[in-house]
């Protein structure tokens, strides 16, 4: 028999937007397939967890931003999709993810902050009853400061912050007047090394952020996509 709580949940419209920022540089070669496989399974696993909680996602959109290094090769430093509606556009999502190759990047750091800035400025859903906007960062390397390496390249993103301070203002905080993300909806999950800017500048100083340390070539093998899924499901 359906409980009153289940009926209540069933009447709500849940919108979930997820942006996956994936380091596709050469050092990720040992673990990129693991990240890709988990990404491909993500929507079904989320659906299953939500069903166990008597919740159903009304709209699920995923966007992927693959990044390398503007200082190494600006022509392929960023590859990205639009927001894709799943399951309707699952073929487009799978085709893009499967096409990613761990190449280039040169020496560390990489252009992870540019990817994060693009993710923050995504066209997030603003309708339906409840929303969750999640950015997931997969990387094994520190990041260049914004607006420095490769910033003069034609392919460098034009409308992103040029400093960590400005990026933080866009991420926002309680009662922020400059945030571009909805405070109650946003979450950031970092699978990133204990290097800057991931550990302190973001992992410790930004609100609504979870940091799971990784190490080059091996740390990401231990990550559990369940952490992301539970973060979403428990907060809706």
């Amino acid at each position: 028999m359906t409980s009153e709580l289940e009926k209540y949940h069933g009447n709500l419209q849940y919108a979930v937007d997820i942006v996956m920022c994936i380091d596709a540089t050469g050092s990720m070669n040992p673990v990129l397939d693991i990240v890709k496989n988990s990404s491909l399974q993500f929507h079904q696993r989320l659906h299953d967890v939500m069903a166990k909680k008597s919740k159903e996602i009304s709209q699920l959109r995923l966007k992927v931003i693959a990044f390398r290094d503007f200082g190494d090769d600006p022509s392929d430093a960023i590859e990205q999709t639009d927001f894709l509606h799943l399951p309707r556009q699952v073929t487009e999502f799978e085709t893009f993810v499967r096409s990613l190759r761990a190449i280039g990047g040169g020496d560390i750091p990489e252009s992870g902050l540019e990817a994060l800035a693009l993710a923050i400025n995504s066209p997030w859903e603003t309708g339906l009853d409840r929303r969750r906007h999640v950015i997931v960062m997969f990387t094994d390397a520190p990041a260049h400061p914004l607006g420095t390496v490769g910033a003069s390249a034609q392919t460098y993103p034009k409308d992103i912050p040029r400093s960590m301070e400005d990026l933080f203002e866009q991420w926002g905080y309680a009662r922020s007047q400059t945030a571009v993300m909805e405070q109650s909806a946003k979450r950031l999950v970092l699978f990133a090394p204990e290097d800057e800017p991931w550990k302190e500048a973001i992992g410790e100083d930004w609100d609504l952020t979870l940091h799971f340390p990784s190490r080059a070539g091996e740390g990401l093998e231990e990550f559990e996509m369940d952490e992301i899924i539970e973060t979403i499901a428990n907060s809706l």
Side-chain angles (χ1 to χ4, degrees):
M1 182 175 179
T2 303
S3 69
E4 289 302 314
L5 181 60
E6 287 172 335
K7 289 180 181 177
Y8 175 70
H9 282 155
N11 290 331
L12 289 175
Q13 298 288 301
Y14 295 95
V16 176
D17 285 347
I18 296 136
V19 180
M20 296 182 176
C21 299
I22 300 176
D23 184 337
T25 58
S27 66
M28 287 285 288
N29 188 60
V31 295
L32 184 59
D33 283 345
I34 297 172
V35 174
K36 288 162 62 174
N37 289 337
S38 292
S39 300
L40 292 170
Q41 299 168 10
F42 180 85
H43 57 284
Q44 186 59 53
R45 291 170 65 179
L46 177 60
H47 177 272
D48 293 344
V49 170
M50 292 289 286
K52 290 179 181 178
K53 297 177 182 292
S54 300
K55 300 177 182 179
E56 182 176 354
I57 296 175
S58 306
Q59 176 181 284
L60 173 62
R61 304 191 305 166
L62 268 70
K63 175 181 174 69
V64 182
I65 302 174
F67 65 92
R68 296 184 178 90
D69 187 356
F70 278 100
D72 178 56
D73 184 356
S75 68
D76 70 350
I78 295 288
E79 298 179 70
Q80 61 181 316
T81 69
D82 295 327
F83 268 121
L84 301 174
H85 291 256
L86 270 63
R88 176 164 53 87
Q89 294 180 289
V90 68
T91 300
E92 293 175 53
F93 172 69
E94 291 181 351
T95 298
F96 181 86
V97 171
R98 293 186 194 281
S99 72
L100 295 177
R101 297 291 180 268
I103 57 174
D107 296 332
I108 60 172
E110 314 295 3
S111 296
L113 283 179
E114 282 79 3
L116 179 57
L118 289 170
I120 289 174
N121 285 276
S122 297
W124 303 99
E125 174 62 55
T126 58
L128 303 188
D129 299 304
R130 292 188 179 179
R131 295 168 296 281
R132 181 61 64 228
H133 302 155
V134 183
I135 300 172
V136 186
M137 171 65 68
F138 299 103
T139 184
D140 63 357
H144 295 296
L146 283 166
T148 56
V149 176
S152 61
Q154 289 187 344
T155 55
Y156 194 86
K158 304 302 181 186
D159 299 320
I160 63 170
R162 295 304 176 101
S163 71
M164 275 298 298
E165 292 76 14
D166 290 343
L167 186 64
F168 173 67
E169 290 295 325
Q170 288 197 342
W171 172 252
Y173 43 87
R175 296 179 296 281
S176 171
Q177 301 299 309
T178 58
V180 298
M181 296 191 70
E182 182 180 350
Q183 180 68 18
S184 62
K186 70 182 184 182
R187 296 291 187 275
L188 173 60
V189 182
L190 302 173
F191 292 98
E194 293 187 296
D195 296 315
E196 293 310 310
W198 312 120
K199 186 177 187 294
E200 294 182 5
I202 296 178
E204 295 180 7
D205 292 348
W206 288 22
D207 65 351
L208 302 172
T209 297
L210 296 174
H211 180 207
F212 299 90
S214 68
R215 289 187 296 174
E218 59 180 75
L220 287 176
E221 291 187 60
E222 301 173 1
F223 86 80
E224 287 290 339
M225 189 64 76
D226 292 341
E227 297 285 353
I228 307 169
I229 293 170
E230 287 296 327
T231 295
I232 297 168
N234 290 335
S235 60
L236 282 169

